[in-house]
Every structure is written in structure tokens, then in C-alpha cells.
Amino acid sequence: MSKMTLHGIWLSGPTYKAGLALSLLGQPFAYKHVDLRAGAHKQPAYLAVNRYGQVPALEDGDLKLCQSGAILLYLADKFGKMGGKTAEEKARVREWLFWEFDKLASNVYRPRAIKRGFLKAEDSVYTMHSTMANDALKVLDGALAKSHFLVGNEVTMADVAVYGDVAYADEAAIDLGPYPNVKAWMGRVEKLPGFKKYEDVLPKQDAA
Ligand SMILES: N[C@@H](CCC(=O)N[C@@H](CS)C(=O)NCC(=O)O)C(=O)O
């Protein structure tokens, strides 16, 4: 089986989700660095891989797939792992994926982009997103009070997607102190075989 190729940039949270999923699945992958600052994501060569002009994208043979949530579900189906065991678990994984992109991802990523200087915005924009992130973190903390992982007893793509948001809370200056269940769950995810931090899973340039 030839290696899949992940296209992305190491600072991108959605790219981290795809890279982390591959790493937890024990799947080595080739990597193509997409230079967002140079506008590479809007050039025809890359638009042929991801029509939305965003990272990440995953190539598996002739298949070119975008949207990190869709990539995670594809990998779960392909390898028959981390997608949930029963029909209900599979549906719950999808619920979390839709929820996290609606309520959590951009409310962590935008404050992070502001704090890191990638995005210029008024203080009120930071406050709005970080307030919404805290609302979502309360929901997450409540769910994780009841179970070790988000769906069932084992890690699923729901954990990967949500971890790929909260991993950036520190850089976003969002305090996880009030969410002890989230912190304990992060510790469990970080102990999984194949777990890597974003700086370690995503190369900074092309890799074979
Ligand atoms: N919903 C998409 C979001 C991807 C996304 O926002 N990627 C950012 C980098 S982190 C990007 O490509 N930004 C450039 C742009 O949107 O033009 C996913 O989960 O894959």
C-alpha cells in the first residue's frame, strides 16, 4: 500500500488533527508543506487538491480529500478503527465533530491567531471568541466528567478533533484551570501510543 500524502502547514490546527489521526493509527505519511504566507493555497496546483484553497488535504491514491473532519472519518472507515464500534457510537463521533467545529474550533483558533500575531483584531473580537470558547469548554468538561473518552471507552476521531482544538488553548491564552475533566482527558490522550504534539507530528517542510 503506498503512503498517503498530507498537505498542510505545521502551525495549522486542522492539519494537526489529520496528522495526529495518522500517527495514532500508526500510519506513516508523506507530507507537502503548503506555504500559506506565499499564497500557495490559492494557486491552481493546490486548488486541484483542495478546491476550497485551505489546508489540510489528504491524498490517498487518486482520492483528494479536504476538510479535517471528513479526513478523520475517512481514515476511521479505511482502517476500521477510531470511528466508533456500534451504529450509535459512529453517530456520536459525528455529533462531536460537527459540534467541535461549530462551537470550539474557531473560538480557540481565532484567539490563538490574535495572540500569535497572525490576525489583527480589536480586543472585543478576542473577548467574543474566548467567551464562546469558555462556553464550549464548560459543555466539554461536563461530558468528560462522565467518561474517559468522548465516545465509548476508547479513543475515537471525536477525541482527535476536539484535542486538536484544546491543544491550542494555552497559545490562545484561554485558561483550562476551570476544566479539570478536560485537563485529565488531555493527559489520557497524550499517553496514547502514537500521540505526538503538533510540532512533532507535522514537518516544517516537504517530507517523503
Ligand atoms: N474546516 C476546515 C478549516 C481549514 C482551515 O481553516 N484552514 C486554514 C489554516 S488553519 C486555512 O487554510 N486558511 C486559509 C484560507 O482559509 O484561505 C477544516 O477543518 O479542514
Side-chain angles (χ1 to χ4, degrees):
M1 204 191 319
S2 62
K3 269 192 205 170
M4 290 174 275
T5 301
L6 178 63
H7 299 249
I9 188 163
W10 67 282
L11 286 164
S12 152
T15 306
Y16 177 43
K17 293 176 185 184
L20 178 59
L22 287 161
S23 187
L24 291 171
L25 287 164
Q27 291 298 318
F29 57 91
Y31 185 77
K32 289 269 181 202
H33 172 73
V34 183
D35 188 347
L36 296 195
R37 279 198 196 152
H41 54 312
K42 304 298 179 194
Q43 299 305 312
Y46 185 71
L47 289 171
V49 181
N50 181 335
R51 62 191 172 283
Y52 304 126
Q54 291 186 306
V55 291
L58 183 76
E59 279 191 86
D60 186 12
D62 291 337
L63 178 72
K64 296 171 177 42
L65 195 59
C66 50
Q67 293 296 329
S68 58
I71 292 171
L72 299 191
L73 293 174
Y74 172 75
L75 292 172
D77 280 350
K78 179 178 169 96
F79 295 104
K81 286 184 192 163
M82 295 171 61
K85 293 211 165 99
T86 62
E88 179 175 350
E89 283 186 10
K90 289 179 202 297
R92 298 279 172 229
V93 169
R94 283 163 173 72
E95 270 185 346
W96 278 111
L97 291 186
F98 287 111
W99 176 84
E100 65 83 21
F101 229 96
D102 180 27
K103 293 291 184 189
L104 192 57
S106 45
N107 291 319
V108 176
Y109 293 162
R110 296 221 171 101
R112 174 197 182 222
I114 293 168
K115 289 290 173 194
R116 290 207 54 160
F118 305 146
L119 184 66
K120 299 265 171 287
E122 304 284 329
D123 290 352
S124 59
V125 175
Y126 177 86
T127 303
M128 180 186 80
H129 283 296
S130 60
T131 302
M132 291 167 90
N134 276 286
D135 291 344
L137 285 163
K138 279 181 205 127
V139 173
L140 185 62
D141 202 62
L144 288 167
K146 297 182 205 125
S147 64
H148 272 207
F149 289 103
L150 287 170
V151 179
N153 299 320
E154 290 174 16
V155 64
T156 66
M157 293 302 179
D159 300 286
V160 175
V162 174
Y163 185 90
D165 302 327
V166 294
Y168 299 93
D170 196 36
E171 291 182 30
I174 294 170
D175 179 17
L176 293 180
Y179 311 109
N181 301 312
V182 173
K183 288 179 76 173
W185 162 82
M186 289 177 79
R188 288 192 285 281
V189 172
E190 288 161 10
K191 285 201 181 69
L192 292 166
F195 173 84
K196 289 183 182 165
K197 300 262 181 208
Y198 75 83
E199 306 91 319
D200 300 325
V201 79
L202 300 176
K204 294 190 177 64
Q205 61 279 312
D206 290 357

